[in-house]
Amino acid sequence: MTIQIEEDLRLLRYTLVQSGIEWEKWCESIPPLKDVQYTLVRRNGTIICDSADKKLVGEKLENITEIVQSHEARFASQLRKSDLFGTQAVFASLRLGDDLMIRKVIPVSSLRDNMDRFDRVLFLRIVPFSIISYLFFVYFFYLSTKPLGIILSKVEKFKDDIPFNKNLELLYERDEWASIEEALNKADQKLQSQMAESRLENEKNTAILESINDDILAIDKYETVLFYNTKFKNNFLKTNENTQIKPKLWHTFSDEEVLEAFRSVLQNGRPSSLRTKNFPYSHRPERFFDLTITPLKSSDGTINGALGVFYDVTEFKLSEQMRVDFVANVSHEIRTPLTSVKGYTQLLQAQAGKIDESLHVFLDKIVGNTERMISLFNDLLNLSVIESRYLQTMEPLDLPSMVETVASNIQTNYPEKKVNVTWDLAVDTITGDSRLIEQVISNLVDNACKYSESDSIDIKIASFEKNDKAILTISDNGPGISKDHIQRIFERFYRVDSSREVSRGTGLGLSIVKHIISKHKGRIWAESEGKGTTFIIELPLE
């Protein structure tokens, strides 16, 4: 109790000193208190101020133990009966200076009451607080040990990999941390093994990529370059480019067509391709590549990226161009003298009266063979151009208008025959190259007229949709084609009847038709049952 009183007096002294309040004024300002008495006393015992009885000012306290002792020890206290309170009280004195002391008198009963109140407060506040603290401690202890429990459950899964004798040792030790340490060691060994296997697998994949002659590039779904082989690096990446930083796709390619092809694969997951694409920014000028892009998918079908394979077709492109140029030059060089031969022969025919009649048949054969050779070289040139080019003018086509134009032209080409062309077009719009598709229909209709023995020819053209494809059929009432020949009629220079007159054709017409349909990603076949032939063309709707 005295310790608390001493602390109170010292705190009072500190407060008044810091506030600059004089002791006498403070004491005089204190009203009489029920259970405490403050007295300011000089060293000789003279009372300066008393909070309980102002009349005591000036009186002298003789041989008061606590006052005498506090002068020597700075603080002193004594328990004795108080005349003011009429009961046992604690008298405590604290030295304030060389000639000034303050004394505080508190009845013991008041102290007991204060202790009782303190005990009640302690019980009502501290005990619930302790209980709540204990509950919080238990809760946070659970939270802090829960990860350890999870770790221990994980450790159980590693026990099968831990040797049996080591498991027994851990069981007898009953040391969770030892189990965790052993499991971590085993996990570390597995991780090291898996990393070694991963490095070996990576080296294998790298070796495979480097052994491929084509340029390979892989990107993720954010268009960040994942990997590429050395051929791609040499052909497309700049020499001063920082290979430590993974570039974006648009850093490597500026061509919008290439970027859109990759983005299309990332969005819809369907492969895409570009043919004979010129990349002028590669290290060599006039480089042509066929680009095939396929999606990179996880086991659940999620698109994680795209893989692009660049096939260098520069040599093929140049050789194709050389072939086209060669055929064009040869055709031109040969057609010029053939045209001259034909012209001179026609001049001779104009002077038929001056020529022996037995020679007229030879003149006719010269003209016929000349026309056939000119037609042959025209077809060769046309076929060569079709094979070497890629369609650039894909557009919606008005099929009825195109069929009507072909029907009108065929009437003009065969005035000596009665050609009846009818059509029923359920699909009236297809996508393709207008000039080439018209050439296909014209060639097939022309063949129906050319090889028909009858003077009356019926040709039916129909179109309909089947399995998301546009089907176009061209049927005639001609002699038909036998099963032995129908599978080979699309070969170059193949003729059903080699004994036919030379004016009947060059053997390249159907080959040209097949190549045109193939360029449109379609297919063509023929059906014939004894009399009449039907050519069936299947084309994508878009």
Side-chain angles (χ1 to χ4, degrees):
M1 291 186 294
T2 57
I3 295 176
Q4 184 62 42
I5 296 174
E6 181 182 3
E7 290 297 327
D8 291 343
L9 292 175
R10 290 183 183 278
L11 180 60
L12 177 61
R13 180 183 64 179
Y14 177 79
T15 302
L16 294 178
V17 170
Q18 293 296 322
S19 303
I21 301 174
E22 296 180 0
W23 286 98
E24 291 84 351
K25 292 183 179 180
W26 169 79
C27 182
E28 292 172 356
S29 66
I30 299 176
L33 301 174
K34 179 181 178 181
D35 54 358
V36 66
Q37 177 188 15
Y38 287 100
T39 305
L40 287 177
V41 184
R42 293 195 181 280
R43 181 177 182 181
N44 59 8
T46 304
I47 296 175
I48 300 175
C49 176
D50 191 279
S51 64
D53 189 357
K54 305 299 182 181
K55 296 178 180 180
L56 295 177
V57 176
E59 292 187 7
K60 192 172 183 181
L61 302 174
E62 298 290 346
N63 298 321
I64 302 301
T65 303
E66 66 273 7
I67 294 177
V68 174
Q69 291 179 353
S70 65
H71 182 70
E72 300 296 334
R74 299 188 67 85
F75 177 81
S77 63
Q78 187 180 27
L79 180 64
R80 66 174 182 271
K81 185 177 181 179
S82 171
D83 295 335
L84 176 64
F85 297 112
T87 183
Q88 291 289 322
V90 176
F91 292 78
S93 177
L94 178 68
R95 189 179 71 182
L96 301 177
D98 293 337
D99 190 36
L100 184 63
M101 286 161 285
I102 182 172
R103 186 181 71 172
K104 182 177 182 180
V105 181
I106 302 177
V108 174
S109 59
S110 176
L111 289 175
R112 288 197 184 99
D113 292 340
N114 290 336
M115 290 300 294
D116 291 341
R117 285 195 298 270
F118 178 76
D119 290 342
R120 287 194 297 271
V121 171
L122 180 65
F123 181 79
L124 295 175
R125 295 185 180 182
I126 301 301
V127 172
F129 177 77
S130 300
I131 295 174
I132 294 173
S133 299
Y134 174 75
L135 294 177
F136 271 104
F137 170 76
V138 172
Y139 176 71
F140 284 112
F141 179 77
Y142 167 74
L143 292 181
S144 61
T145 56
K146 184 179 179 181
L148 179 60
I150 296 174
I151 294 174
L152 290 175
S153 65
K154 298 290 185 182
V155 168
E156 292 295 326
K157 298 179 181 179
F158 284 96
K159 284 190 175 181
D160 293 338
D161 298 326
I162 299 175
F164 179 74
N165 58 344
K166 190 66 178 179
N167 261 327
L168 286 178
E169 182 180 340
L170 295 175
L171 180 62
Y172 286 119
E173 286 184 3
R174 292 185 176 276
D175 187 351
E176 291 84 357
W177 294 110
S179 298
I180 293 175
E181 180 182 4
E182 186 64 28
L184 289 177
N185 289 336
K186 196 65 181 179
D188 181 63
Q189 293 175 7
K190 278 193 171 183
L191 180 62
Q192 294 296 334
S193 175
Q194 290 175 356
M195 290 179 63
E197 292 178 1
S198 177
R199 284 193 294 268
L200 179 60
E201 193 68 23
N202 187 46
E203 291 173 358
K204 290 180 180 179
N205 293 335
T206 301
I208 293 173
L209 286 175
E210 294 302 329
S211 65
I212 297 175
N213 289 328
D214 302 311
D215 301 12
I216 297 177
L217 169 69
I219 63 172
D220 62 14
K221 59 183 177 181
Y222 303 109
E223 300 184 24
T224 302
V225 174
L226 293 177
F227 60 84
Y228 47 81
N229 61 357
T230 303
K231 287 185 67 66
F232 180 88
K233 176 183 176 182
N234 295 337
N235 285 330
F236 294 98
L237 297 184
K238 299 177 181 178
T239 54
N240 59 351
E241 191 169 336
N242 186 2
T243 57
Q244 299 297 325
I245 302 176
K246 291 186 177 180
K248 291 290 186 180
L249 181 65
W250 60 82
H251 293 158
T252 306
F253 299 106
S254 58
D255 192 307
E256 280 298 325
E257 188 177 9
V258 176
L259 296 176
E260 286 301 321
F262 273 98
R263 289 165 184 165
S264 173
V265 173
L266 291 176
Q267 290 174 2
N268 56 44
R270 292 193 296 270
S272 179
S273 61
L274 297 175
R275 299 298 179 190
T276 322
K277 184 66 181 176
N278 185 17
F279 291 89
Y281 37 79
S282 54
H283 293 174
R284 283 173 51 191
E286 292 299 319
R287 295 292 299 274
F288 295 90
F289 291 86
D290 282 352
L291 172 58
T292 300
I293 308 170
T294 54
L296 298 175
K297 296 182 179 180
S298 58
S299 57
D300 59 356
T302 303
I303 301 174
N304 297 321
L307 178 70
V309 181
F310 297 76
Y311 306 94
D312 192 342
V313 294
T314 304
E315 298 300 329
F316 174 77
K317 174 68 176 177
L318 295 178
S319 63
E320 280 292 312
Q321 188 61 44
M322 290 176 60
R323 185 166 68 89
V324 172
D325 293 342
F326 172 77
V327 172
N329 291 333
V330 169
S331 298
H332 174 73
E333 293 298 329
I334 293 180
R335 279 186 299 178
T336 300
L338 286 177
T339 303
S340 298
V341 171
K342 180 180 178 180
Y344 290 133
T345 305
Q346 289 174 339
L347 287 175
L348 292 175
Q349 285 181 324
Q351 303 293 327
K354 299 179 181 180
I355 301 175
D356 190 340
E357 291 185 4
S358 61
L359 298 177
H360 289 180
V361 64
F362 297 108
L363 291 178
D364 293 338
K365 288 185 177 294
I366 292 174
V367 172
N369 280 285
T370 302
E371 291 178 346
R372 180 177 181 275
M373 292 187 69
I374 293 174
S375 177
L376 174 64
F377 281 106
N378 286 336
D379 287 345
L380 279 174
L381 179 60
N382 194 10
L383 181 60
S384 179
V385 171
I386 292 172
E387 286 180 336
S388 62
R389 66 173 287 201
Y390 291 94
L391 301 179
Q392 303 294 333
T393 56
M394 297 292 287
E395 57 185 0
L397 305 179
D398 185 359
L399 197 55
S401 175
M402 184 177 294
V403 170
E404 186 176 354
T405 300
V406 172
S408 175
N409 293 337
I410 206 69
Q411 296 283 358
T412 305
N413 295 340
Y414 295 91
E416 74 282 359
K417 293 185 177 183
K418 182 182 178 183
V419 181
N420 181 30
V421 181
T422 59
W423 55 88
D424 179 16
L425 305 175
V427 176
D428 56 4
T429 302
I430 59 175
T431 302
D433 187 300
S434 175
R435 186 183 65 82
L436 295 180
I437 294 296
E438 184 175 342
Q439 183 177 354
V440 167
I441 299 174
S442 179
N443 279 11
L444 295 176
V445 172
D446 184 77
N447 281 352
C449 297
K450 184 184 300 183
Y451 294 106
S452 177
E453 302 292 345
S454 173
D455 291 335
S456 179
I457 305 170
D458 292 328
I459 300 174
K460 297 179 180 179
I461 302 176
S463 68
F464 55 91
E465 182 179 343
K466 181 180 180 182
N467 298 330
D468 295 329
K469 301 285 186 179
I471 307 298
L472 180 65
T473 63
I474 300 176
S475 305
D476 61 53
N477 61 344
I481 304 173
S482 68
K483 292 182 179 180
D484 296 335
H485 299 287
I486 202 166
Q487 299 297 329
R488 300 187 59 189
I489 57 176
F490 296 103
E491 296 178 8
R492 296 185 188 184
F493 302 110
Y494 185 80
R495 302 183 67 195
V496 174
D497 187 358
S498 59
S499 66
R500 294 191 177 200
E501 298 177 2
V502 294
S503 61
R504 291 290 184 93
T506 63
L508 290 175
L510 290 179
S511 179
I512 293 174
V513 167
K514 181 180 178 181
H515 278 82
I516 292 175
I517 297 302
S518 297
K519 291 295 181 180
H520 285 77
K521 298 182 180 180
R523 62 192 186 103
I524 182 173
W525 68 95
E527 295 178 355
S528 180
E529 296 181 0
K531 184 177 181 181
T533 304
T534 299
F535 285 89
I536 304 169
I537 301 171
E538 182 183 84
L539 293 170
L541 281 174
E542 296 182 359

